[in-house]
Amino acid sequence: MNENTTTNERRPNWAALVTAAVLMAVAVLIVAEAVKLGNAARYARVGPATFAYVIGFFLAGLSLWTLIHALRDKFPRWTVPELGPVAWVAGGMIAQMVLLPYAGFSIATGLLFALTARGFGQRPFWLGLAVGVPLAFFVWLVFARLLMLSLPAGPLERLIP
């Protein structure tokens, strides 16, 4: 064999194959849990299990699509990610989980927004905070006041009667 025949052969993309397997495992798990739910609302056509079935079957289809493209080697090869941006986003997620009970939804999620924006290249950190905290506060207002869902309230949320 010469050098050209080995580089032109199709080889499966192993990272994509693993992704397809994980997607299928999650799809099977979701559908199995939906079966356990049964028809809780027998009087309605759409019950709690309906959307679980939809999501499970969607993930199964996505898994099959990923498998086909992985076997055809249609995905770009995996490269090692830069650790800096990953660390900013992971740090934002950790900060949100730690601060959520103490600082409330708006401040913790605004900080997550700012750290994630920093990870994606937004340079002035204060700008991310200036956009993220009001945006998160608006989300809190919609969910907590309009939809009456319980989200953690901190000092900023307690300003609203």
Side-chain angles (χ1 to χ4, degrees):
M1 289 182 137
N2 64 21
E3 193 174 319
N4 290 337
T5 57
T6 58
T7 58
N8 291 335
E9 289 180 17
R10 281 191 193 166
R11 294 180 304 153
N13 187 329
W14 292 104
L17 285 174
V18 170
T19 303
V22 169
L23 284 171
M24 186 58 77
V26 171
V28 168
L29 179 67
I30 289 174
V31 170
E33 290 297 318
V35 169
K36 289 181 187 177
L37 285 175
N39 286 336
R42 296 193 188 275
Y43 57 87
R45 291 184 182 176
V46 177
T50 304
F51 288 106
Y53 283 123
V54 169
I55 292 169
F57 287 121
F58 175 75
L59 285 176
L62 188 60
S63 171
L64 292 175
W65 176 81
T66 304
L67 176 68
I68 290 168
H69 280 274
L71 292 174
R72 291 181 179 172
D73 196 22
K74 297 280 185 175
F75 287 106
R77 290 290 169 186
W78 185 78
T79 59
V80 178
E82 294 181 37
L83 292 181
V86 173
W88 280 106
V89 174
M93 294 172 73
I94 291 169
Q96 186 196 32
M97 287 187 288
V98 169
L99 292 175
L100 205 55
Y102 309 107
F105 182 82
S106 299
I107 294 173
T109 305
L111 184 62
L112 168 65
F113 181 89
L115 290 171
T116 302
R118 177 67 177 94
F120 280 99
Q122 179 69 36
R123 287 294 168 204
F125 182 74
W126 63 267
L127 182 61
L129 276 176
V131 171
V133 172
L135 184 63
F137 184 70
F138 174 74
V139 170
W140 182 85
L141 281 174
V142 169
F143 279 88
R145 298 296 183 200
L146 290 175
L147 299 175
M148 299 298 179
L149 296 174
S150 177
L151 290 176
L156 190 60
E157 292 86 4
R158 288 189 190 105
L159 294 175
I160 303 295

